[in-house]
């Protein structure tokens, strides 16, 4: 608490509030707009923020229920949104669980053990992580194309391929978890090992239960990253019923026939859970953001 | 920090607990199974001639066997799965990409040489001179084909042939024809019946006693189907139609006719530095490439500046003790970060729509202008920067808020005593103090936006396009989206050129992250 206060603090406070409110309204406007569009009749973007002609048509279609208009025509859902959402969740769950398993075990070794090649491996991982997946898409496409001829469930157009391909992105998570492990005192594990526990037992029974919070954060981060992943999914997945949401949502806004209302409903339906999850975990996520770069 | 007993070479503690023993054996069995699985992949890839992939899985399987077989490498067992993941899905693709960049791998040079050769050898042609006139002859309820050679052929060859009844034809199998001396008895059907049965006849292939296949060559004739090419021992192909030779050219990866004409499809061959020299010397590629290169730097740099400016200002405001409702502001302000990017980018795509988007509606009403956001290059770039600032400032806000908290409070006290206002505080105290720890994160943000593929792909797709470019290139394309379009969007998918650009980007990114590591002094 500042003890010495400058004058005219009231006007300054008012100014700050006004500036913040103005900025917040700029930020929130597009989001409110989309919610409003999703309840509007028709597939056009324009109109007032509060819908004049309220309609649940787009929401029914987003849930996959055919909608009967007032004039008796029945509209079929244009795209399987719920299926896409389910695909996204399936892929994200599997890949983030695997990422979590891989990065936790290696973070343990990096945080607690001394072994040959540790520093170069850690630094090398950070450097290779910066190489965007978009650029190696040709290679990944070729890899899964050939692999699919031998192992069908890992070929192109399968979710298995997408899940597996995401396993390359573990370096940041390893750094985050490693930072957390290092903040936990190692004496508990040492005591356990003195009493005859193996390395694995000390890790599994002592360290892991202590690290549940960071594991949750990494899981959620990996989950969100996987849901938002676009380039790999757009190249590896081909059929409409295999698409993830990030790839599928684009199809609403085709060049010539944008389905604004349908897109808005689908976007709110699928974006809301992710947004809420993110907001709930924002405190930890903010911590995780800086962990990789600043720590150490 | 410790070194595992196993890595020190100390003897194993032999557990008497059966559960632990079973677990140990289960681990061994699993390892053996995985090694066998990768070995199977190695052999299978090797048999298909895909040595790159065979080598990949050989390395994977061998390192798996070594790491899990040697007790001294106990610590490495923990990091092996993650390293294997990175190796297969980051490092291998990278090496593969660099490899492709020295080849002419593209949609016209896609298949292996053997496959191309097989494709040529599989080509057939209908020998016109040896055609047979045909008639449909119905005898009772059985319809047969009666064939009569058009030209006078070699003596001793069958001149007149008759087929088995058409009803006996099995789909996908040729119908046998036998030599005959006379016209078969029965009614000869007219051309109308032939036309009515045309589809059936076109699908039909007949086989002569000597094995030659015949197919319909017109409404009145059947002609033998002959292989068009014959392989020569020196690797060239002879065109049996006119006797010319096709020679395989290992420099370009195509079969070449005697006149020097290339025949597609070709196969990928090494072309050395061709792709790289093309980027730097071919004016139709160099021009767009340089333009995109500059724009990529401008875009990433301006994005970092704008997001930092907005994020830092907001963080400084939110850090003010006497401001009420900070938690609410904070939550609302990081909303753009919380909403999935693929949704918010598409929302903006609609809002910026030139004809019925909200933004032009508002601008039209207030100022009477409606900019061409998607067709004018400058406006499209402005739009990208606006949207990316909206998307990216919350990250900077979160970072700055964390860092501002670490600035000691008494500095502000001292400043207040000396009569310093909030602006002085911001410029002279807060910013200098947080800039140093922020620098590596800013570089990371720069590298991220340098490769911000999703924004470009979803918002503009790189359009409006650069005129006169020989590759698909847009005025709003970043290097990554440019690479993606060369590799995946154009009709002449040029993987080799795309890989060369990708390699250049990789070098840039490595430079950036090396700088980053140096600046942040990462301790491991």
């Amino acid at each position: 608490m500042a003890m010495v206060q400058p004058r005219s603090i009231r006007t300054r406070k008012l100014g700050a509030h006004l500036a913040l409110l103005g900025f917040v309204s700029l930020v929130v406007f597009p989001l409110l707009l989309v919610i409003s569009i999703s309840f509007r009749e028709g597939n056009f973007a324009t109109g007032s923020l509060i819908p004049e002609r309220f309609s649940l048509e787009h929401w029914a279609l987003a849930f996959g229920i055919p909608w009967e208009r007032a004039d008796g025509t029945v509209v079929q859902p244009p795209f399987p949104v719920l299926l896409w959402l389910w695909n996204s969740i399936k892929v994200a769950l599997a890949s983030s669980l695997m990422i979590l398993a891989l990065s936790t075990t290696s973070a343990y070794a990096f945080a607690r053990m001394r072994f040959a090649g540790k520093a170069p491996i850690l630094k090398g991982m950070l450097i290779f992580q910066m190489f965007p997946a978009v650029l190696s898409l040709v290679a990944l496409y070729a890899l899964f194309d050939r692999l699919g001829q031998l192992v069908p469930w890992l070929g192109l157009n399968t979710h298995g391929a997408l899940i597996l391909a995401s396993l390359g992105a573990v370096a940041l998570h390893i750094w985050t978890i490693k930072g957390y492990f290092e903040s936990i005192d190692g004496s508990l594990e040492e005591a356990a090992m003195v009493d005859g526990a193996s390395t694995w037992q000390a890790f599994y029974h002592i360290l892991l239960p202590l690290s549940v919070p960071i594991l949750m954060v990494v899981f959620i981060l990996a989950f969100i990253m996987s849901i938002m992943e676009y380039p790999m999914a757009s190249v590896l997945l081909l059929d409409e019923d295999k698409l993830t949401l990030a790839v599928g949502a684009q199809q609403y806004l085709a060049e010539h026939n944008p389905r604004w209302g349908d897109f808005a409903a689908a976007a709110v339906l699928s974006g809301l859970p992710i947004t809420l999850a993110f907001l709930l975990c924002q405190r930890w996520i903010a911590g995780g953001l800086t962990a990789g770069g600043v720590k150490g | 920090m410790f070194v595992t007993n196993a890595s020190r070479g100390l003897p194993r503690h032999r557990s008497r607990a059966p559960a632990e023993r079973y677990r140990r054996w289960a681990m061994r069995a699993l390892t053996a199974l995985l090694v066998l699985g990768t070995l199977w992949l190695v052999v299978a890839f090797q048999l298909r001639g895909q040595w790159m992939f065979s080598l990949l899985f050989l390395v994977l399987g061998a390192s798996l066997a070594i790491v899990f077989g040697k007790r001294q490498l106990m610590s490495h067992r923990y990091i092996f799965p993650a390293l294997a993941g990175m190796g297969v899905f980051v490092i291998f693709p990278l090496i593969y990409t660099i490899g492709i960049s020295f080849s002419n791998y593209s949609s016209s040079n896609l298949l292996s040489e053997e496959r191309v050769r097989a494709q040529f050898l599989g080509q057939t042609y209908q020998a016109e001179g040896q055609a047979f006139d045909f008639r449909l002859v119905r005898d009772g309820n059985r319809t047969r084909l009666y064939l009569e050679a058009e030209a006078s052929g070699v003596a001793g060859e069958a001149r007149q042939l008759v087929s088995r009844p058409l009803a006996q034809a099995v789909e996908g199998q040729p119908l046998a024809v036998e030599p005959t001396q006379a016209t078969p008895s029965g009614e000869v059907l007219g051309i109308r019946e032939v036309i009515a049965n045309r589809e059936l006849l076109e699908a039909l292939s007949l086989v002569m006693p000597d094995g030659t296949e015949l197919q319909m060559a017109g409404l009145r004739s059947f002609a033998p189907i002959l292989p068009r090419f014959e392989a020569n021992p020196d690797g060239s192909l002879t065109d049996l139609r006119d006797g010319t030779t096709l020679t395989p050219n290992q420099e370009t990866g195509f079969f070449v006719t005697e006149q020097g004409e290339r025949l597609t499809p070709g196969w990928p061959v090494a072309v050395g530095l061709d792709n790289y020299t093309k980027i730097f010397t071919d004016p139709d590629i160099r021009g767009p490439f340089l333009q995109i290169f500059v724009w990529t730097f401008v875009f990433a740099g301006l994005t970092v500046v704008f997001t930092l400016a907005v994020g830092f200002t907001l963080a400084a405001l939110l850090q003010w003790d006497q401001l009420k409702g900070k938690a609410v502001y904070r939550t609302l302000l990081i909303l753009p970060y919380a909403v999935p990017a693929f949704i918010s980018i598409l929302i903006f795509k609609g809002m910026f729509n030139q004809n019925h988007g909200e933004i032009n509606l508002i601008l039209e009403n207030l100022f009477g202008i409606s900019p061409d956001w998607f067709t004018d290059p400058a406006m499209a770039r402005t739009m990208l920067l606006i949207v990316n600032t909206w998307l990216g400032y919350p990250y900077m806000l979160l970072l700055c808020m964390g860092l501002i908290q670490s600035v000691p409070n008494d500095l502000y006290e001292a400043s207040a005593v000396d009569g310093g206002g909030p602006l002085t505080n911001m410029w002279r105290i807060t910013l200098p103090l947080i800039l140093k720890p922020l620098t590596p994160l800013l570089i990371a943000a720069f590298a991220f936006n340098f490769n911000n593929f999703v924004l470009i792909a979803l918002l503009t797709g790189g359009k409006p396009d650069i005129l006169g470019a020989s590759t698909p290139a847009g005025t709003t394309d970043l290097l990554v989206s440019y690479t993606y379009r060369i590799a995946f969007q154009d009709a002449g998918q040029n993987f080799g050129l795309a890989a060369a650009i990708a390699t250049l980007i990789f070098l840039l990114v490595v430079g950036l992250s090396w700088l980053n590591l140096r600046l942040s002094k990462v301790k491991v």
Side-chain angles (χ1 to χ4, degrees):
Chain A
M1 194 67 187
M3 300 302 285
V4 187
Q5 293 193 347
R7 285 161 295 161
S8 71
I9 193 118
R10 187 179 294 249
T11 42
R12 218 181 276 169
K13 250 202 261 186
L14 194 68
H17 274 294
L18 281 179
L20 278 174
L21 279 177
F23 195 82
V24 163
S25 57
L26 266 184
V27 164
V28 178
F29 175 72
L31 306 174
L32 290 182
L33 185 72
V34 152
I35 297 177
S36 151
I37 290 174
S38 75
F39 288 109
R40 256 182 229 164
E41 219 170 63
N43 263 321
F44 303 102
T46 44
S48 68
L49 207 53
I50 297 153
E52 286 143 8
R53 288 192 295 174
F54 185 83
S55 151
L56 281 176
E57 175 184 335
H58 305 308
W59 277 92
L61 294 180
F63 276 107
I65 307 162
W67 177 263
E68 195 183 335
R69 290 209 179 123
D71 58 3
T73 53
V74 176
V75 192
Q76 291 298 326
F79 300 112
V81 185
L82 287 183
L83 183 65
W84 288 343
L85 185 62
W86 168 237
N87 285 344
S88 277
I89 291 176
K90 206 163 54 177
V91 170
L93 261 184
S95 72
S96 43
L97 278 177
M98 287 170 82
I99 284 177
L100 190 64
L102 295 193
S103 41
T104 315
T105 46
S106 36
Y108 173 60
F110 283 127
R112 291 284 196 258
M113 296 176 195
R114 204 175 299 134
F115 54 88
K118 183 168 134 178
I121 291 176
L122 266 174
K123 283 192 180 167
M125 281 203 312
L126 270 192
I127 288 185
F128 279 112
Q129 197 70 89
M130 303 282 269
F131 189 62
V134 188
L135 295 178
S136 42
L137 277 179
V138 175
L140 283 175
Y141 185 88
L143 174 64
F144 285 112
D145 182 34
R146 312 288 196 279
L147 205 56
Q149 292 165 6
L150 300 172
V151 193
W153 53 274
L154 283 181
L156 291 176
N157 202 16
T158 60
H159 292 147
L162 195 56
I163 293 168
L164 216 57
S166 68
L167 294 187
V170 285
L172 274 185
H173 302 307
I174 291 179
W175 275 86
T176 312
I177 302 178
K178 171 180 164 283
Y180 190 87
F181 281 170
E182 278 166 353
S183 72
I184 295 179
D185 190 19
S187 53
L188 263 179
E189 293 150 66
E190 276 166 31
M193 284 203 252
V194 167
D195 286 347
S198 66
T199 326
W200 174 259
Q201 284 168 333
F203 164 62
Y204 190 76
H205 294 291
I206 312 276
L207 191 59
L208 270 196
L210 287 175
S211 323
V212 172
I214 197 72
L215 299 186
M216 288 298 292
V217 171
V218 167
F219 176 78
I220 290 165
L221 269 180
F223 188 85
I224 291 175
M225 272 163 73
S226 168
I227 292 249
M228 296 195 190
E229 205 288 324
Y230 174 79
M232 263 191 305
S234 75
V235 167
L236 292 182
L237 302 178
L238 309 169
D239 294 346
E240 191 183 79
D241 61 338
K242 285 274 168 60
L243 295 187
T244 59
L245 202 61
V247 183
Q250 201 194 2
Q251 305 214 344
Y252 279 103
L253 303 181
E255 202 84 25
H256 303 294
N257 179 27
R259 299 164 164 276
W260 259 104
D262 296 337
F263 165 73
V268 177
L269 171 70
S270 52
L272 208 59
I274 303 169
T275 310
L276 287 180
F278 193 95
L279 287 179
L280 284 176
C281 312
Q282 53 161 308
R283 202 166 294 273
W284 299 306
I285 289 170
L289 286 179
T290 48
V294 179
K295 201 118 198 157
Chain B
M1 287 285 165
F2 64 88
V3 179
T4 55
N5 283 345
S7 334
R8 280 206 202 95
L10 292 177
R12 173 184 289 128
H13 163 73
R14 300 224 172 251
S15 172
R16 286 176 190 281
E20 197 169 325
R21 283 181 160 183
Y22 291 144
R23 206 172 299 145
R24 197 165 276 162
W25 277 105
M27 269 295 283
R28 280 177 197 157
L30 187 68
T31 313
L33 217 63
L34 282 174
V35 171
L36 282 179
T38 47
L39 275 183
W40 175 70
L41 282 176
V42 171
V43 174
F45 276 124
Q46 190 63 46
L47 287 180
R48 286 158 179 255
Q50 291 151 349
W51 62 270
M52 277 281 270
F53 298 99
S54 174
L55 191 67
L56 166 72
F57 285 101
L58 186 65
V59 171
L60 188 71
S63 49
L64 181 76
I66 293 172
V67 169
F68 282 87
K70 272 183 83 126
R71 279 189 68 239
Q72 280 76 8
L73 296 178
M74 182 62 92
S75 308
H76 293 85
R77 291 184 191 179
Y78 286 86
I79 60 168
F80 182 79
L83 283 189
M86 281 200 79
V88 177
F89 300 112
V90 179
I91 297 172
F92 169 75
L94 185 64
I95 296 171
Y96 191 87
T97 305
I98 294 175
I100 293 176
S101 77
F102 296 106
S103 78
N104 64 349
Y105 192 43
S106 61
S107 58
S108 61
N109 297 59
L110 196 63
L111 306 169
S112 68
E113 191 183 345
E114 294 86 65
R115 294 267 298 278
V116 172
R117 191 177 291 272
Q119 199 166 332
F120 274 108
L121 289 175
Q123 282 184 19
T124 53
Y125 75 108
Q126 284 191 322
E128 293 296 333
Q130 305 161 33
F132 292 84
D133 282 338
F134 79 89
R135 261 163 283 167
L136 279 176
V137 180
R138 181 183 290 157
D139 184 13
N141 54 3
R142 295 200 292 190
T143 312
R144 292 167 187 266
L145 272 170
Y146 170 64
L147 305 171
E148 206 173 65
E150 272 175 358
S152 50
V154 188
E157 242 179 44
R159 311 269 306 129
Q160 291 156 320
L161 299 156
V162 70
S163 77
R164 295 176 167 276
L166 290 188
Q168 288 181 15
V170 183
E171 214 179 307
Q173 276 182 17
L175 190 69
V177 286
E178 280 129 22
T180 177
Q181 296 305 321
T183 320
S185 59
E187 173 200 2
V188 174
L189 298 176
I191 191 80
R192 192 169 300 181
E193 294 272 347
V194 174
I195 293 173
N197 287 312
R198 189 174 173 168
E199 276 189 22
L200 185 125
L201 290 172
E202 274 176 349
L204 192 70
S205 69
L206 306 175
V207 59
M208 302 219 293
D210 62 354
T212 316
E213 283 195 24
L214 303 172
Q215 263 182 3
M216 192 169 167
L219 276 181
R220 292 180 187 284
S221 62
F222 264 73
I225 302 295
L226 300 175
R228 189 177 154 188
F229 295 102
E230 192 184 54
N232 298 325
D234 63 343
S236 62
L237 302 176
T238 304
D239 192 336
L240 293 175
R241 269 195 322 186
D242 45 15
T244 55
T245 12
L246 299 181
T247 34
N249 184 337
Q250 295 299 347
E251 308 239 309
T252 56
F254 286 104
F255 276 108
V256 188
T257 62
E258 284 165 3
Q259 286 79 36
E261 198 185 329
R262 290 174 182 182
L263 294 181
T264 50
W267 59 93
V269 291
V271 293
L273 290 170
D274 272 14
N275 288 317
Y276 294 93
T277 45
K278 223 190 271 175
I279 295 173
F280 292 112
T281 55
D282 185 344
D284 288 346
I285 296 179
R286 185 183 54 188
F289 176 79
L290 284 181
Q291 192 182 337
I292 290 170
F293 187 81
V294 171
W295 161 241
T296 307
F297 270 90
V298 171
F299 170 79
L302 285 182
T303 299
V304 171
V305 170
F306 289 159
T307 50
L308 179 66
V310 176
F312 176 71
T313 315
L314 290 171
L317 268 178
L318 285 184
Q319 224 47 49
W320 196 10
D321 287 331
Q322 294 173 357
L323 204 68
K324 291 215 172 57
K326 276 191 292 203
V328 180
Y329 281 132
R330 188 187 134 112
T331 309
L332 288 174
L333 284 175
I334 65 164
L335 261 182
Y337 203 49
V339 177
F342 66 89
I343 287 178
S344 37
I345 293 172
L346 290 176
I347 294 176
F348 274 106
K349 188 176 180 183
M351 282 178 56
F352 275 102
N353 190 303
Q354 280 161 221
N355 300 320
H356 34 253
E358 300 281 330
I359 291 186
N360 272 9
L361 199 74
I362 293 170
L363 288 178
E364 182 90 57
N365 285 339
L366 289 183
F367 309 107
I369 49 169
S370 65
D372 304 330
W373 295 110
F374 285 95
T375 46
D376 182 61
M379 293 321 287
R381 288 173 172 172
T382 315
M383 171 179 73
L384 280 176
L385 283 173
I386 295 174
V387 174
N388 208 23
T389 307
W390 188 91
L391 287 170
Y393 83 84
Y395 175 70
M396 295 294 175
L397 173 69
L398 289 174
L399 290 182
C400 290
M401 278 170 66
L403 291 171
I404 286 178
Q405 268 165 0
S406 64
V407 177
N409 230 345
D410 27 338
L411 288 179
Y412 297 112
E413 292 288 329
S415 150
V417 170
D418 289 347
L423 280 181
T424 324
N425 285 350
M426 193 160 138
W427 282 106
R428 296 291 175 83
I429 302 177
T430 321
L431 200 57
L433 274 175
I434 67 166
L435 210 53
K436 195 158 179 284
L438 202 58
T439 313
L441 295 162
L442 291 184
I443 295 177
F446 182 87
F448 173 79
N449 283 299
F450 195 86
N451 296 317
N452 198 337
F453 172 74
V454 179
L455 176 73
I456 306 295
L458 291 183
L459 195 54
T460 64
K463 291 180 188 67
D465 278 339
I466 298 175
L467 297 176
S470 62
T471 49
T475 44
T476 58
D477 261 327
L478 299 182
L479 283 175
V480 261
S481 59
Y482 178 51
T483 315
Y484 178 86
R485 286 174 72 180
I486 292 178
F488 290 105
Q489 256 187 6
D490 193 30
Q493 303 180 319
N494 195 339
F495 299 124
L497 185 64
I501 299 177
T503 309
L504 292 180
I505 301 178
F506 173 68
L507 292 179
L508 280 169
V509 168
V510 165
L512 279 175
S513 33
W514 177 79
L515 188 70
N516 202 350
L517 279 180
R518 286 294 297 271
L519 283 175
S520 58
K521 296 192 191 71
V522 174
K523 270 201 312 230
V524 285

